[in-house]
Amino acid sequence: MSVLVNQTGFQGEMLPAQDADGRFRLVVVIKATCLVDLQGNVSLAPEQDAVTLADVFLGEPGRSSVVAASDAALYKAATDIGLVGHAHAMAGTAATRMPVTLTVGPVRKRLLVIGDRVWERGLGGLSISEAQPFTRMPLVYERAFGGSAEETEEERNPAGVGFHVDAPDSGSPLPNIEDPSHLISSWSDRPAPQGFGFVPGNWQPRKSFVGTYDEAWKEEQFPLPPHDFDHRYFQASHPDLRCSPYLQGDEAVELVGVSPHGPLRFSLPGKALALSVQFRIGEPQRRLAALDTLTFMPDDNKFHMVWRHPIQCPAKILDVETVTAFPIRLSTLQRLSHAPR
């Protein structure tokens, strides 16, 4: 039996997997839960959240926002960045519209959150009503452009609002979350759905990467993934919130509009995750895990960092005897990477 020796102080799992060619992997997943205060001080949470093995949804699975994304993935080529929370007007003062910005290192996304509006029909046709004031707005895809109409749905966000095949009735709602550079002005507009959260696997664009599960797959490939499965399926963040190369773990963070107390500014802990892999035969091998998922939960003053490394097994899972996971400082990693060889 393969054993994970977790010396990180974080939660960890070792998940078996096979690729389309039948090769075995042991995927090491380490998840840290950190707290951040209003002064930007970061500390390790006394209770570490468990590794999440399946998406947790706001409502109906696959047709509602993801409130906790699955940590089970074989491989991610870039760091996914997500935020689960609310837009908060400053000091509880009501606003009709406000910007919300998420910045992590080189990645920055800015959205406009607008109070409830509807389409109004007048002599000049359809127009947009005045926005209603709000103090708190959920940052979920249910509040972004999308939805369904007349047996047709917006495949990038079937949970959303504002998608129409024909001109809507007076009183039909508009999205609350928009891209400030592509605001809706006509009922026929089809902007890209906007948000900071994670995208379910059966929504586009992730759905296009899952591969072909047809009769030929059943007869020739089951239970392995299809040969046209694309690892981009595992990238669950909004396409604008991915960082390549991976985040290292010491980047500056700024979250604006997600706390009633004002902007949150802090830096990620300067840590990396190393692995020592002992195969059944041979000396231990040193590996580095990639920081491939970062999730902010400002309502709870915390965030998650997830590191991952898929270990290829020579023949079968049991060829890996033990994997020891331990943290190292980024300064140490940088010295090692610049040391003479």
Side-chain angles (χ1 to χ4, degrees), residues 112-341:
L112 189 64
V113 179
I114 309 170
D116 291 342
R117 302 164 296 161
V118 297
W119 288 107
E120 293 180 335
R121 188 175 296 278
L123 295 177
L126 285 171
S127 62
I128 299 174
S129 72
E130 294 293 325
Q132 297 298 307
F134 66 95
T135 58
R136 189 170 182 262
M137 184 73 69
L139 294 172
V140 294
Y141 285 110
E142 284 80 354
R143 299 278 184 162
F145 176 77
S148 60
E150 298 181 13
E151 299 183 356
T152 302
E153 69 178 15
E154 168 53 73
E155 293 189 340
R156 298 169 297 179
N157 181 18
V161 65
F163 173 80
H164 299 285
V165 175
D166 299 311
D169 295 332
S170 185
S172 295
L174 281 86
N176 297 106
I177 303 171
E178 294 198 53
D179 180 345
S181 61
H182 295 91
L183 295 175
I184 292 174
S185 60
S186 166
W187 68 266
S188 59
D189 288 343
R190 300 286 189 273
Q194 296 297 327
F196 297 106
F198 295 97
V199 176
N202 63 329
W203 295 7
Q204 296 290 7
R206 290 186 68 192
K207 183 179 179 180
S208 65
F209 302 130
V210 75
T212 305
Y213 294 84
D214 56 10
E215 288 301 320
W217 170 78
K218 290 180 182 179
E219 293 177 4
E220 303 169 10
Q221 187 69 5
F222 176 83
L224 301 176
H227 286 287
D228 59 349
F229 177 87
D230 190 320
H231 285 119
R232 284 178 289 178
Y233 172 82
F234 293 124
Q235 301 287 167
S237 63
H238 189 283
D240 296 341
L241 289 172
R242 296 171 191 169
C243 186
S244 180
Y246 299 110
L247 295 173
Q248 285 196 327
D250 60 351
E251 290 80 5
V253 176
E254 182 180 59
L255 309 177
V256 178
V258 296
S259 169
H261 306 290
L264 297 174
R265 298 184 179 93
F266 56 96
S267 293
L268 299 178
K271 292 186 181 296
L273 256 293
L275 305 174
S276 177
V277 184
Q278 178 62 66
F279 291 95
R280 187 168 52 85
I281 299 174
E283 296 297 317
Q285 298 184 14
R286 182 67 60 88
R287 308 286 178 83
L288 286 174
L291 174 57
D292 69 12
T293 311
L294 182 61
T295 308
F296 298 103
M297 293 151 285
D299 287 351
D300 298 321
N301 298 314
K302 71 178 183 180
F303 61 93
H304 290 149
M305 302 172 72
V306 175
W307 291 266
R308 184 184 326 275
H309 183 74
I311 301 168
Q312 182 168 339
C313 305
K316 55 186 181 296
I317 294 293
L318 293 179
D319 286 331
V320 178
E321 290 189 342
T322 61
V323 179
T324 303
F326 54 96
I328 58 175
R329 293 185 178 276
L330 282 178
S331 56
T332 303
L333 175 63
Q334 291 159 358
R335 287 200 304 273
L336 290 173
S337 65
H338 290 91
R341 297 191 180 187

